[in-house]
Structures are given as C-alpha cells and as structure tokens.
Amino acid sequence: MTDLLLHNRNFALLWLSQIISKLGDIFWSVAIMVTIFARTGSALQTVGVMVAAALPAFFLGPVAGVLVDRYPRKQVMITMDMVRAALVGILLITSTRGDLNIWIIYLIVAGLSIASTFFEPARLAILPSLVSKDDLVRANGLVMSTNQATYALGYALGGVMVLAIEFQTMIAVDFVSFLLAALAVAFIAVPEREREKQKQTQRLPMHRAVADGLSYLRNHKLARPLVTMEILEHFPHAIWSSALMLVFTTEALNAGPEFWGFQSSIYFGGMFVGALLAAAMSTRLSRRPGWAIIGNAFLFSGLTIGYALSPSLTFTLFLCFFFGPTSAIRDVSQDSLLQSQVDPMVMGRVYATRNMFSNLAFMLAGLSFAWMADQTNVRWVYLIGGMLYFGTALFALSSSTIRNSQITYSTTEGQEASAQSAA
C-alpha cells in the first residue's frame, strides 16, 4: 500500500519536499543549540531560541490560519520555503563576516518561525486533498516515518558533524534544502475542488474569518478536546527541547554533545518504527484512534519518569527508542482524526489555532523548566514533566468523544483528489 501511495505523484512530491527540508533543519538545530550553549553555558539563554521560535506562532497564528484557508496552500508553502531560504542565507553571510552574536540568531530564528507558522498549517491542510479517505492514516504514517528516519540520521550525523565541520557549512546545507523543497512543492497539482472552496473564504473580512474559525473549533465536539489535549501536552513537551536535553546529557549523564545527538537519533529511529506500525495498522487505528491516543499518553508519562531516573547513558538510550513508537502512533492518530473530521474550508485556521496555543504553552513551560534547570538538579524537571503527561492522559480518558472517535471523511474531496492526482 505504501508503494501505491508513492505512485500518487502529488503526494510523492509533498513527501519528498519534507525529507529535503527536514534534513537541513536538523543540521541547523544542532549547530545553533551547541553554539549557544558552548558560548553561554546557560540553559536559560539556550532556551531563548525556543522563545524566539514560539512567540511569532502565538501572535500570528490567527492571521496565518485565515491566509492558509484564503490563498492556495501550495503557493503558501512555496513562498514560505523561499522566505526561510532567504533568512538562512542572511545568517550564512553574517556568520561568514564574523558578526554573529546571540541576538542575531534569535532574530533569524523568529523569522524562520514566522514562515513556519504559515507553512505547517498549509502542509497539514493540503494533505487530505491529495489522498483518499482510505489512505489518510497510511499517508500520515508514511510522512511521519520518513521524517523521523531523516531526524534519526540527521541527529546522529549532526552531533558528530558539529564537532568536525564549520558552523557555516551546516547553515549552507539548510539554505540549499529549502530551495530544493520549494522546487518539489512547485510541481504539485492541487485538485480544482480545493481552489474553488477557498474562494469562499476570500470574500470574508479578516476579523470575520478569524472569528468563524475560533467559533468552529469551540463548537466542534471532537476537534475541541483533541486540540485542548495537544495544548496541554505542550507544557511537558518543553522538557524535550534541544536545550534541556543538552543540559540533561551534560549534567545528569556526564556525557558530551555527541551523545545528546545519539539520544535524539535513537528517539527518531523509534518514531520511524512507530510511524510504520501506524501505517501498517491503519485499519485498526481508524476504528479506535481515541484509545490509541489515550493508551500512548499513559505510556509516555511512564517513560518520561523512567528517563528522569535513568542511572546510565545506556539505559537512557534504551528508553529513547521506546519513546518513538509511543509518540508516532499518538501523533498519527491525532492528525488523521482532525484531517478526517474538520471541514477543509477551516482546516488551516484549526491547525493554526492549535499551533498558536501549543507554542505559547511550550514557550512558557520551557522558560520555567530552564530556570529550574539552572537552579536545581535537572532530573527534577523531567520528573515534573512525567507527572504533567499523566494529567493529559487523564484528560483524554475523561473525554467520551475522544474515547469513541473514529476516522471518517465528511466530504468526497479526498476521493476525487486522489483520482485526479494519480492521473
């Protein structure tokens, strides 16, 4: 079935663009985090990168959602990839001249976040128009599995490369990756049905479109608790920021930055396995996605507490792998549920709203956890995170809508799109 998906030209191009841009992004993330932590030695200043990334998503989320629903999502993705390439190019020029400082990095990160605030809702919202209902879980699983395989490879290489390759070289890789990703998206043929539906949103004033999107989300019986759970999860998600993991690796495990990269690599390898499992079990997940979300939320809580108490690097690496399948199955189920049940006309606004409040939660928690890590043993930070995950699992369990949910498709758009794109 995966081979059949990749015969869908439009989906294959979207899939390819993700692989290209993600690899460059990983090298960027590794280089930036290690550079700042090496210069400052402060978890709080390193987490400043996370703050710079989270603020634009919070302030621009509503506008991004409207524009993603109003304008062709393909064009939004191409434009944002070009913007990201330009920003990385500026950083490359600045660092080559020797003028690089932390505040310049923060500004570039903020600019990249602005572009991503528009890009990610467009990517998530365009996927259901490129594949059929029956392929939705499988498509999400394939996209996630290849992304995670790319992350696994990238972090394994990045943790070593940052010690052996110049900062500018790693940034140059990111610059080229955005250009190639934009080129791949340019060849996607979006079904006419989606373009016609978006014309209806273009006639609405901006404030009305924002209000309609929020009202839709507030009144949607499934989207509301799913998005609420996602926002709640982003409070403990902050412990997995690159900065805090780097602190945990160096202070709790007494290991170097290359082992930080290995942890991330093994985790994403587990994500790859989990996403493949989700794709293989797509029929079962379609019937009971809510229970998959709930069960994996409880597992994630237990694994996080185990990570906090890790006695050795070997045990930590062992746990990192098992985080992967847990995260992947949960994430594939959540995205597939939203994509199957949310009206395509407001999907961009729903995803942008989710990202807006999730980034706010991530930023606030990240600052708090970083401050704690500077004041006390970093293991306490991860223990608190594990308990917060337990709370989100209880929230999901308490929602009958999540428990009884099924992946269905409300329109024929996906089926029609699949037939057109396969041509």
Side-chain angles (χ1 to χ4, degrees), residues 32-317:
I32 289 298
M33 288 298 174
V34 173
T35 297
I36 292 181
F37 190 63
R39 291 188 181 188
T40 67
S42 169
L44 193 58
Q45 290 194 51
T46 309
V47 171
V49 173
M50 182 192 69
V51 176
L55 279 176
F58 175 69
F59 288 113
L60 295 176
V63 176
V66 172
L67 295 182
V68 165
D69 286 336
R70 178 171 293 180
Y71 296 106
R73 287 157 182 166
K74 169 184 168 180
Q75 296 304 319
V76 172
M77 294 170 67
I78 293 172
T79 301
M80 292 305 112
D81 267 338
M82 296 303 294
V83 168
R84 292 194 285 191
L87 288 167
V88 172
I90 292 171
L91 181 63
L92 181 60
I93 294 170
T94 304
S95 62
T96 302
R97 292 177 176 175
D99 298 329
L100 187 65
N101 62 54
I102 291 175
W103 289 105
I104 290 176
I105 292 176
Y106 287 165
L107 289 173
I108 296 295
V109 169
L112 291 170
S113 176
I114 290 172
S116 295
T117 300
F118 290 85
F119 181 90
E120 284 302 316
R123 180 187 69 81
L124 288 164
I126 202 173
L127 178 61
S129 68
L130 303 181
V131 301
S132 70
K133 165 199 169 181
D134 294 337
D135 286 334
L136 193 56
V137 175
R138 209 168 283 115
N140 278 309
L142 180 58
V143 169
M144 180 172 290
S145 65
T146 48
N147 280 348
Q148 306 318 317
T150 305
Y151 274 125
L153 176 63
Y155 274 105
L157 292 175
V160 176
M161 288 173 62
V162 73
L163 302 176
I165 297 178
E166 292 185 354
F167 176 82
Q168 289 86 354
T169 302
M170 297 185 77
I171 300 305
V173 171
D174 200 26
F175 172 76
V176 173
S177 73
F178 283 130
L179 294 179
L180 293 176
L183 182 63
V185 174
F187 286 99
I188 294 176
V190 180
E192 181 64 30
R193 184 182 182 90
E194 181 183 352
R195 294 196 293 269
E196 289 298 321
K197 281 199 166 190
Q198 286 188 281
K199 290 179 182 178
Q200 300 177 36
T201 307
Q202 292 176 7
R203 293 191 289 266
L204 290 175
M206 178 69 72
H207 70 279
R208 174 67 183 279
V210 171
D212 284 357
L214 291 173
S215 176
Y216 178 90
L217 178 58
R218 185 172 61 251
N219 294 315
H220 197 289
K221 291 183 178 180
L222 178 60
R224 184 181 67 249
L226 271 180
V227 170
T228 300
M229 181 187 178
E230 184 99 7
I231 294 167
L232 292 174
E233 283 181 322
H234 272 72
F235 284 100
H237 276 356
I239 63 175
W240 303 112
S241 68
S242 297
L244 283 170
M245 285 191 69
L246 183 58
V247 173
F248 189 91
T249 301
T250 56
E251 294 184 1
L253 301 175
N254 298 313
E258 67 274 19
F259 290 101
W260 163 65
F262 291 155
Q263 285 185 80
S264 299
S265 176
I266 289 174
Y267 165 72
F268 288 118
M271 285 280 282
F272 170 71
V273 172
L276 288 180
L277 285 173
M281 300 187 303
S282 59
T283 302
R284 292 183 180 179
L285 285 181
S286 295
R287 292 173 184 159
R288 294 188 178 275
W291 283 107
I293 293 169
I294 294 166
N296 283 285
F298 279 111
L299 281 173
F300 210 88
S301 173
L303 288 169
T304 302
I305 293 172
Y307 183 92
L309 301 174
S310 296
S312 67
L313 180 62
T314 301
F315 185 76
T316 302
L317 294 176

